[in-house]
Amino acid sequence: MAEAIRRRWGHFRRQPVFTGFCLFMAVLALNIIIQTPAKFFTVSNFRILLSKNMPLILTCLGQSVLMMCGVLDLSTGIQLAFVNVIAIMLPQELGVPVGLGWACALTGGVLISLFCGFCIVKLRLPALLTTFSITYIIKGVNVLIMGEPQGKVEKIIYKTYDSVLFGFLPFAALILLAVLLIWQYIKRTRYGRHMYAVGNNPRNAYAVGINPERVQMKAFLIKGFIVGLAGLCLTASNASGNPLQAEEYGIRSLSACMLGGMNFGGWGTLSCGLFGAGFLVIVQNAVYYLFNFLTKAIQGLMINSYWQNLVSDTIIFLGLLATIITAKAQRETLKQGFVKQLKRGEKYGG
Amino acid sequence: MGSGLRIRRFVKYNRPGMALVIALFLLLITVLINPKSLNINTFGSILVQTMLLSFAAAGQTMVVISGGVDLSVGSVMSMAAVITTGIMQGQGGRFAQVILATVAMGAAIGLLNGVCAVRVGLPPIVITLAVSYVVTRLQYVFTGGMPTGVAAALFKKTVQYRIFGLIPAATMYAVVIWALAFFLIHRSRFGKQLYLTGNNESAARLNGINTRKIRVLTFVLSGVFSAVAGVLGAGYMGMSQCQLFDNYAYNSLVAVIVGGSLFVGGVGSYFGSITGSLVMIVLSNGLTVLDISQPVRNLVLGLVMVILLTLYNRAKPIRQ
């Protein structure tokens, strides 16, 4: 019995998700202590946590799908705003039925993701810089469609999104479960295995008869769908439109995936992205309660939203730094993967 | 040598010259569409802005030659501007303090970038982006969102005054900074080692160059140059805001690439970056003259970069 447990444990330790899981559990414990268990383990707390952070969690899942194939997308964040803008503006300006408008928004998310995929996969441009520039393009398009933050969502939509089914299952969790189920299916198909092969080494994958370009484009398609869902979640949870929001989700999701133990190409699973996202979410939550606690405990201490923003951005930065610890074993591969993202061209000219 | 071949060689190998041609071409288009824009004042402001951007691009050039990217240029500039007006408060005689404070700030942020990017081994683009977010938030925390103070009148004059109505007084800063950057990149031992590091890091290391030190140093210098650019930018604007110069991060990067540096490292020149800055400023001037809105500008800037990458930075196809 003990032998079996030890073997299981040893097996689990070698899983990509191990570091992410440990980090997540550590901050979860910390958060429960700060927030007190009685207040943490309530349905409404879970509902708020999930419905507010579902866009970020889904973005991280999308990013980890890409990273599995050895590519990445920094413009994921602003793509959420793009979906949000379409979902608000189509019904408001053109009188399109809400359902159809939202379907169009989802399609728009997929299309814009495919555009990124085209630039990176077909044109073979360096992923990091290209998607960083594409951020500017999408930002421009967003503001062209919607000049300033405006619009509203019908009450039934955000009520449904915030609702709790059967007294314990938040609606947002249902979306997450659906995405994870779809992924469980994709992972088991032939395509799922091709993703790892291409991520590991596109040249070798090509040699054994896999079309790397098609596999990577399909990854962008899946990511586009997930990001489209994330954008709709963002619309439902904010109940309004803002063309310039969520831009930092791109780098945040990258940071989360790396924290979760994700690596470029052939290493890591979707749960890496999930635990990485969970880590960021829980840390943010814990910081919020810590600040609340501090303002109550210390008289005359005023903390404005600027401080909160500073702390949350510092956490992204520290999260990136923490990859030294988490990705220790795979650090060299991670580094090389990034070099691949950064420089693709050969030397040219003189 | 036939003229056709000569032109092709010029386009392919003389990127700074090509940048000058593009800048002239863009200026010509702007003037043709809107003849009113052709006046001495426009030229003056194009010159000043080109200088500002080229100061910021000096550090960026070094970083790109060494094979990295620095996206914190813009936020360091904004931070420097906020510090400048905060210390000056419209009074003269505090220039030394301003320079000391901002250069220390720039060097510290550059060191942070460099250590994280080189020692920790994370990609510079991601780390500098994260750092620039933090620096931007710091501006808001320090100033409460509303920076106070204005630049000193005399200092403002040294940047804004136009000799004969055309040549900006900022030229005297430019002479010093350009000379310094030229010396660092093209004439010093550091510059030689920089090119070697960017060209082939392992070969450079085997030749006894401390490549890590060189790469950290490029980030520190980038921070210092952008801090100085921020101080002068505050003099040009007269006041400061949070995130005032944030777009300089991306603009300086595009300017450096337009000027002929390559992301793969080891290729590039500071003269190229200055001409690249001219292209960027003429382009943005043209967009202003043609009354093109901010979102379309963003679109154009993004497209320019994607096109540049497509032209110069494509990977080899997999099936070879």
Side-chain angles (χ1 to χ4, degrees):
Chain A
M1 185 65 196
E3 179 62 28
I5 290 177
R6 200 177 311 137
R7 211 168 44 213
R8 273 273 168 79
W9 171 246
H11 181 67
F12 180 61
R13 272 188 59 180
R14 283 193 297 276
Q15 293 289 313
V17 77
F18 177 70
T19 46
F21 181 76
C22 291
L23 279 175
F24 176 70
M25 281 304 163
V27 288
L28 193 63
L30 197 71
N31 186 27
I32 293 173
I33 293 169
I34 291 175
Q35 210 180 338
T36 67
K39 279 186 187 156
F40 183 80
F41 290 105
T42 54
V43 174
S44 78
N45 182 42
F46 280 113
R47 177 183 64 84
I48 293 171
L49 261 183
L50 276 174
S51 66
K52 250 185 73 183
N53 294 304
M54 194 43 61
L56 178 65
I57 297 173
L58 286 178
T59 315
C60 293
L61 294 187
Q63 192 76 265
S64 42
V65 171
L66 286 189
M67 283 177 84
M68 241 172 263
C69 294
V71 278
L72 59 84
D73 190 348
L74 265 185
S75 64
T76 353
I78 203 79
Q79 286 172 15
L80 293 191
F82 179 72
V83 174
N84 168 252
V85 163
I86 299 183
I88 293 286
M89 288 314 258
L90 271 185
Q92 186 183 316
E93 297 295 313
L94 302 178
V96 180
V98 176
L100 186 64
W102 284 45
C104 286
L106 191 61
T107 324
V110 172
L111 286 181
I112 205 105
S113 176
L114 282 180
F115 170 68
C116 290
F118 174 78
C119 288
I120 295 166
V121 177
K122 297 281 177 188
L123 294 181
R124 303 189 298 274
L125 304 180
L128 274 167
L129 279 161
T130 314
T131 50
F132 184 70
S133 325
I134 289 176
T135 309
Y136 276 77
I137 301 181
I138 301 177
K139 224 193 274 182
V141 173
N142 282 355
V143 180
L144 276 183
I145 301 174
M146 180 194 273
E148 52 193 18
Q150 55 177 290
K152 55 178 185 293
V153 172
E154 280 170 44
K155 200 175 173 189
I156 178 149
I157 293 176
Y158 64 80
K159 280 279 176 205
T160 319
Y161 179 70
D162 276 338
S163 66
V164 177
L165 304 173
F166 317 121
F168 71 94
L169 187 66
F171 186 79
L174 215 60
I175 301 172
L176 183 63
L177 280 180
V179 170
L180 288 179
L181 272 180
I182 296 173
W183 176 250
Q184 286 303 320
Y185 170 72
I186 293 177
K187 200 173 81 176
R188 281 171 173 71
T189 59
R190 179 194 290 241
Y191 171 69
R193 231 162 307 144
H194 285 182
M195 279 173 86
Y196 282 99
V198 171
N200 205 357
N201 190 335
R203 226 167 266 269
N204 292 358
Y206 179 73
V208 295
I210 301 169
N211 185 347
E213 291 189 356
R214 188 182 293 167
V215 170
Q216 287 181 340
M217 281 307 273
K218 263 192 195 166
F220 271 98
L221 187 80
I222 298 172
K223 188 222 90 184
F225 177 73
I226 298 178
V227 164
L229 273 183
L232 295 184
C233 287
L234 190 69
T235 316
S237 88
N238 286 1
S240 71
N242 181 354
L244 295 176
Q245 65 189 339
E247 194 189 330
E248 77 283 359
Y249 276 26
I251 190 162
R252 209 178 274 192
S253 63
L254 197 64
S255 157
C257 287
M258 280 159 57
L259 268 174
M262 203 69 207
N263 204 336
F264 280 104
W267 182 259
T269 58
L270 209 64
S271 31
C272 293
L274 190 63
F275 283 120
F279 176 78
L280 283 192
V281 166
I282 297 291
V283 165
Q284 203 115 350
N285 194 43
V287 165
Y288 175 76
Y289 281 103
L290 195 65
F291 271 18
N292 268 2
F293 175 73
L294 284 180
T295 36
K296 263 183 212 150
I298 306 167
Q299 288 294 317
L301 181 73
M302 289 291 287
I303 297 175
N304 51 18
S305 65
Y306 295 135
W307 277 100
Q308 301 234 358
N309 289 339
L310 176 67
V311 170
S312 75
D313 275 351
T314 312
I315 288 169
I316 302 180
F317 174 65
L318 292 179
L320 284 169
L321 281 190
T323 47
I324 323 167
I325 314 159
T326 60
K328 208 172 175 184
Q330 314 103 35
R331 202 146 134 239
E332 208 40 50
T333 7
L334 185 72
K335 229 161 136 180
Q336 298 203 333
F338 263 122
V339 169
K340 220 161 63 187
Q341 304 304 312
L342 206 58
K343 317 166 176 182
R344 291 194 115 171
E346 292 294 304
K347 294 257 184 318
Y348 181 95
Chain B
M1 193 191 288
S3 64
L5 185 65
R6 203 177 289 172
I7 289 174
R8 222 176 300 151
R9 285 185 72 113
F10 178 76
V11 170
K12 199 167 174 188
Y13 294 117
N14 195 344
R15 297 267 298 274
M18 204 48 215
L20 276 181
V21 172
I22 295 173
L24 273 180
F25 182 66
L26 285 174
L27 199 62
L28 204 68
I29 294 178
T30 317
V31 171
L32 280 181
I33 297 179
N34 189 347
K36 264 188 230 158
S37 69
L38 185 71
N39 58 39
I40 206 161
N41 213 355
T42 318
F43 279 110
S45 76
I46 285 180
L47 282 180
V48 184
Q49 290 182 32
T50 306
M51 284 170 193
L52 273 184
L53 186 54
S54 69
F55 301 156
Q60 187 78 270
T61 312
M62 296 178 200
V63 177
V64 170
I65 290 175
S66 81
V69 170
D70 188 355
L71 289 178
S72 65
V73 168
S75 55
V76 171
M77 275 181 82
S78 312
M79 189 75 168
V82 168
I83 293 178
T84 307
T85 56
I87 292 182
M88 278 188 171
Q89 299 289 357
Q91 291 176 19
R94 293 180 180 172
F95 192 65
Q97 288 147 289
V98 166
I99 283 292
L100 211 66
T102 50
V103 165
M105 182 271 302
I109 294 173
L111 189 67
L112 183 66
N113 279 332
V115 168
C116 293
V118 179
R119 292 272 160 182
V120 178
L122 287 168
I125 189 170
V126 175
I127 222 61
T128 51
L129 198 59
V131 166
S132 84
Y133 281 137
V134 175
V135 174
T136 305
R137 299 303 190 191
L138 276 175
Q139 291 163 27
Y140 282 98
V141 167
F142 283 157
T143 62
M146 285 296 215
T148 54
V150 288
L154 181 66
F155 173 57
K156 249 165 44 182
K157 216 162 193 184
T158 59
V159 180
Q160 291 174 349
Y161 182 73
R162 307 271 162 81
I163 305 161
F164 311 127
L166 172 67
I167 304 162
T171 314
M172 59 181 196
Y173 293 108
V175 169
V176 177
I177 294 173
W178 284 352
L180 187 65
F182 259 114
F183 172 74
L184 277 176
I185 298 175
H186 296 295
R187 288 284 176 276
S188 70
R189 188 196 179 96
F190 165 74
K192 283 276 170 286
Q193 297 186 339
L194 177 66
Y195 274 96
L196 292 175
T197 306
N199 209 333
N200 189 337
E201 197 178 342
S202 16
R205 196 176 49 243
L206 291 176
N207 271 308
I209 296 173
N210 189 345
T211 53
R212 287 185 155 192
K213 195 178 85 186
I214 295 287
R215 284 174 60 203
V216 173
L217 215 54
T218 58
F219 281 101
V220 174
L221 282 171
S222 171
V224 170
F225 272 109
S226 13
V228 173
V231 172
L232 296 176
Y236 177 64
M237 293 289 183
M239 49 57 151
S240 70
Q241 267 172 330
C242 295
Q243 297 190 289
L244 182 61
F245 295 116
D246 269 13
N247 51 355
Y248 272 69
Y250 188 68
N251 285 2
S252 67
L253 187 60
V254 183
V256 168
I257 302 303
V258 170
S261 305
L262 287 184
F263 284 125
V264 279
V267 180
S269 68
Y270 187 48
F271 179 66
S273 301
I274 296 175
T275 58
S277 312
L278 184 65
V279 172
M280 291 304 289
I281 296 298
V282 170
L283 178 66
S284 100
N285 172 59
L287 295 176
T288 314
V289 167
L290 302 181
D291 206 14
I292 283 172
S293 56
Q294 190 60 39
V296 183
R297 273 167 178 236
N298 276 341
L299 236 166
V300 170
L301 280 178
L303 278 178
V304 166
M305 187 66 154
V306 172
I307 291 169
L308 277 174
L309 287 170
T310 320
L311 286 178
Y312 296 107
N313 241 75
R314 291 184 64 181
K316 282 184 180 159
I318 290 166
R319 64 179 92 174
Q320 259 189 337

